[in-house]
C-alpha cells in the first residue's frame, strides 16, 4: 500500500490540475483545501480553481482526512424504523447546526448490523465523531471507534457507555408522567398499550416501566395491552375493552403515543365507549393531529435535546478528545391535558 | 502525497496486525478483505482475525476503495425537510435491499448545498453510486460524480438528467387524479391547497399543475389556496371559505395531502360546513389516520417505486457502467374514494 493514486480510468488527479495550472501539486493542495497559513496570490488561486473545474477534479475526502489525521465527518446510524415527525425534525436541526460548524453529517444504513459489529463498519469510514441513538453500542464498540480516529462518541439512550459522552434520554419519564396524571384524575385500572411493531420495544418498554413506577405502592393496577397498528387490531382490542362488566374493568389508557391513541380512541368510540367518562385516554408526542379529534386528545409533550446544543457538544468533544465524558439528562416530558383524560 | 499511513496516534495499522500475527501485510489484507482468490489456511486466517480484534484494527474503507478502484458506498442526500411515513418506509426498504446486495447506503447531510455544488461534496466520498431524489442535479453534477468514480447516478424526479438513469416521479399525476375525481363527482369550483412550508414546492407545484391539466377545457375553475400547517391558519382559511354567498363559491378541495386535509376538514367542520354536501375534500398519501375521521377522508393513494427494484437497478448500473441510461416511470396514483368527496 504505497500510493493513493485513484485507479479509476479518466479520473483527474491533483497532478493533472497542477500541470494545467502550471503550479506545484503542493500549491494545488493548499488552494483547494483553503489553507490560509500559506500565502498564495489571488491570481494563482484563481488559476488552480479554474483548472480543477475544467478537469472536473474533486479532492478525495478520505485522502485529505488521511493527511489531516481526521475528517470532518460526523456519522450517525440511519434509523432502522420509519421515523416520526418529532425525530425527523430533530435530525434536520442537528444536521443544520453541525453544518454551520463545518461538519458533514452522514447517516449510515447499518442494515443487519448491531452493536459493536456495527461500530466496526462505521469505523471504516474514519468519522471524527459518532452519534448513536438508542441502546446497543458497548464499551468495546466505543473503543474500536476511538482507535480508528473518532475523537468523540456520543450516545443518546437510556444508559451511559464507558468512554462515550452520554445524552441520557429516559423514556421512563414519559410513562411516569402519563401514569401520575391518570392516577391524579382518579383512575385506578390503567391499561398501557405496547406496540407489536418491531423496533419500538426500546421506547415502549421503558414507557411501560415508567407507568408502573408512578403507580408503585398505590391501589392502582397496570395491564399490558399489545396492539398492532392496524384498524382491525384496534377494533378487536376495543371490542374486548367495551364488554359491559368486563373482567379488566379498565378506566384509563396510556396508548404509547398519539398515533396509537388516535387509532384506539376511534375504535373505542365506534364501540360506544364514552371518552373520557368511561375510559380516559392519553397519548404521547403532542402531534397536532391529536388536537383535531373530538374529544381532543390528551398527550405527553416530549422535549428532545436541541440539535444546536448537541452540535456544540460534538464540537467541544472533537476539540478536546481527552476530556472527561460529559453526561446530560435531556428528555423533557410534561402532560398536556385536553379533553380525553 | 506518497503514503496512506494514518497519522492518528495509537491507531493500529495493518503492519501492527501483520507483526502480531507473524504474517506479511499482504496476507493481512487478503484475509480481512475476504479475498477468496488467494489460498490461505484457516489457522492463518484465524490468527490474523484474532490479531486484528486484539489490536482493535479496522480496515480503512477509503484506502480499500482506492486499491479496488471503487467503494461499495451508495450515497443519497439526506432529506432536507422532515419526511412523511410514506418516504420513510421507502428509504428503509431501499437500504435493506441494497444491504442484501452488499452495498452500504449513506445519507449525506447536504445542508446549504444545492445542485452541482452538492454533487462536488458528495464526490469527495467517492461513492460507487449516487441516488438523487428531487430536481436540482444537472448534467454538470452528473459529470463530476462520474469523473470521481461513481459508476451509476440515478435521479428520482420529474425530469431526465443527461448521463443519469432516471426514475421519473410525476407528481402531476397525483393532482390529475384528484382533479378528475372531483370533476366526475359534479364539482366545478375547485380549491387546491398549496402549503406555505418551505421545501414542499417541489411536490405542491406539480400537484396543482396536475389539477389544472385535468380540468383544462372544461367549465371548472381552479383556485390556489396557500395554507400554513397550523390550526390558526386553517381556522382563518375555513372562516373565509364558510362565508355564506362567498365570492369563491368553492364546492371542492384538493388539500395537497392527508395531513393538510385533516387539518382543514376539522376547521371547516368547526365552521359548520357540511362535508361532502357543501364541500368535497380529498387528500393524498392514503394515511391510515384519514380513515379515523368522520366523514372518512378520500385520498389519492401514491405508489412509490419499490426499494427492491431500485436496488437492482443500482446494481445493474454498477456492473455495467457504460450501459445506456435506463428510464422508468415509477409513480402510481389512484383515487381511494371514502366519505369526504
Amino acid at each position: 500500500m504505497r500510493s493513493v493514486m485513484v485507479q479509476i480510468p479518466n479520473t483527474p488527479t491533483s497532478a493533472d490540475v497542477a500541470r494545467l495550472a502550471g503550479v506545484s501539486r503542493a500549491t494545488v493542495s493548499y488552494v483547494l483545501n483553503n489553507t490560509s497559513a500559506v500565502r498564495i496570490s489571488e491570481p494563482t488561486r484563481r488559476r488552480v480553481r479554474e483548472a480543477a473545474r475544467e478537469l472536473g477534479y474533486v479532492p478525495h475526502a478520505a485522502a485529505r482526512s488521511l493527511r489531516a489525521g481526521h475528517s470532518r465527518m460526523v456519522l450517525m446510524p440511519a434509523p432502522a424504523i420509519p421515523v416520526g415527525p418529532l425525530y425527523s425534525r430533530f435530525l434536520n436541526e442537528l444536521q443544520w447546526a453541525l453544518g454551520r460548524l463545518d461538519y458533514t453529517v452522514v447517516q449510515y444504513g447499518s442494515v443487519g448490523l448491531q452493536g459493536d459489529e456495527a461500530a466496526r463498519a462505521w469505523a471504516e469510514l474514519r468519522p471524527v465523531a459518532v452519534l448513536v441513538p438508542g441502546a446497543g453500542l458497548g464499551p468495546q464498540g466505543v473503543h474500536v471507534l476511538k482507535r480508528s480516529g473518532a475523537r468523540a462518541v456520543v450516545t443518546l439512550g437510556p444508559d451511559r457507555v464507558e468512554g462515550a459522552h452520554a445524552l441520557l434520554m429516559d423514556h421512563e419519564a414519559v410513562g411516569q408522567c402519563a401514569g401520575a396524571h391518570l392516577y391524579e384524575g382518579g383512575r385506578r385500572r390503567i391499561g398501557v398499550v405496547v406496540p407489536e411493531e418491531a423496533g419500538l420495544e426500546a421506547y415502549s418498554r421503558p414507557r411501560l416501566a415508567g407507568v408502573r413506577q408512578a403507580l408503585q405502592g398505590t391501589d392502582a393496577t397496570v395491564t399490558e395491552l399489545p396492539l398492532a397498528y392496524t384498524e382491525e387490531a384496534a377494533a378487536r382490542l376495543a371490542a374486548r375493552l367495551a364488554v359491559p362488566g368486563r373482567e379488566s374493568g379498565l378506566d384509563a389508557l396510556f396508548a404509547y403515543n398519539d398515533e396509537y391513541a388516535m387509532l384506539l380512541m376511534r375504535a373505542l368510540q365506534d364501540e360506544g365507549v364514552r371518552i373520557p367518562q368511561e375510559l380516559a385516554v392519553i397519548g404521547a408526542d403532542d402531534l397536532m393531529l391529536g388536537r383535531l379529534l373530538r374529544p381532543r386528545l390528551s398527550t405527553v409533550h416530549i422535549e428532545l435535546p436541541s440539535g444546536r446544543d448537541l452540535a456544540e457538544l460534538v464540537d467541544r468533544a472533537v476539540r478536546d478528545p481527552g476530556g472527561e465524558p460529559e453526561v446530560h439528562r435531556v428528555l423533557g416530558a410534561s402532560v398536556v391535558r385536553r379533553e380525553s383524560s
Side-chain angles (χ1 to χ4, degrees), chain A residues 56-68:
Chain A
Y57 171 74
V58 177
H60 194 306
R64 187 158 65 190
S65 68
L66 285 166
R67 288 195 302 277

Side-chain angles (χ1 to χ4, degrees), chain A residues 75-77 87 122 130-137 145 153-157 167:
Chain A
L75 185 145
M76 302 181 71
Y87 187 73
W122 304 336
V130 180
L131 302 181
V132 192
L137 185 71
L145 288 166
V153 179
V154 183
T155 61
L156 296 85
L167 296 192

Side-chain angles (χ1 to χ4, degrees), chain A residues 245-263:
Chain A
R246 59 203 189 272
E247 67 206 297
S248 66
L250 297 185
D251 57 15
L253 292 177
F254 170 46
Y256 174 67
N257 73 9
D258 288 351
E259 287 169 301
Y260 286 82
M262 287 189 266
L263 177 66

Side-chain angles (χ1 to χ4, degrees), chain A residues 31 35 42 72 84 99 122 132 139 150 154 159 165 168 189 196 223 237 270 272 283-286 308 314 324:
Chain A
V31 171
T35 312
E42 196 40 51
R72 294 295 289 178
W122 304 336
V132 192
V154 183
D159 302 306
H165 302 270
L168 294 178
R189 302 277 170 272
E196 291 182 349
T223 306
L237 177 55
D270 287 350
D285 283 358
D286 196 6
R308 187 187 293 228
V314 167
E324 200 51 32

Side-chain angles (χ1 to χ4, degrees), chain A residues 139-324:
Chain A
Q140 183 57 35
V142 175
H143 182 71
V144 165
L145 288 166
K146 291 195 155 181
R147 291 296 299 262
S148 305
R151 296 188 172 192
V153 179
V154 183
T155 61
L156 296 85
D159 302 306
R160 287 189 59 173
V161 181
E162 197 191 312
H165 302 270
L167 296 192
L168 294 178
M169 298 180 65
D170 179 7
H171 280 268
E172 289 183 1
V174 179
Q176 281 172 0
C177 262
H181 166 70
L182 294 173
Y183 188 84
E184 283 158 19
R187 310 291 169 155
R188 293 297 179 266
R189 302 277 170 272
I190 294 171
V192 177
V193 168
V194 178
E196 291 182 349
E197 280 68 29
L200 296 181
E201 309 83 17
Y203 309 100
S204 63
R205 287 289 139 197
R207 287 183 189 189
L208 173 63
V211 176
R212 288 195 201 283
Q213 285 162 19
L215 302 176
Q216 205 165 25
T218 72
D219 54 338
T221 61
V222 174
T223 306
E224 238 177 282
L225 301 171
L227 175 63
Y229 191 61
T230 68
E231 280 182 288
E232 297 69 32
R236 277 197 303 274
L237 177 55
R240 258 175 49 216
L241 296 177
V243 173
R246 59 203 189 272
E247 67 206 297
S248 66
L250 297 185
D251 57 15
L253 292 177
F254 170 46
Y256 174 67
N257 73 9
D258 288 351
E259 287 169 301
Y260 286 82
M262 287 189 266
L263 177 66
L264 189 52
M265 193 161 91
R266 163 53 60 194
L268 288 163
Q269 288 176 314
D270 287 350
E271 286 286 341
V273 175
R274 286 176 308 132
I275 294 169
Q277 295 85 346
E278 295 178 77
L279 203 58
V281 177
I282 185 168
D285 283 358
D286 196 6
L287 298 190
M288 194 224 280
L289 293 176
R291 278 181 266 163
L292 306 183
L293 303 183
R294 299 295 179 267
R296 290 176 178 82
L297 182 65
S298 295
T299 189
V300 178
H301 177 82
I302 298 176
E303 198 77 58
L304 286 181
S306 123
R308 187 187 293 228
D309 289 350
L310 178 48
E312 279 167 12
L313 166 60
V314 167
D315 191 47
R316 223 162 34 236
V318 165
R319 286 166 190 275
D320 179 20
E324 200 51 32

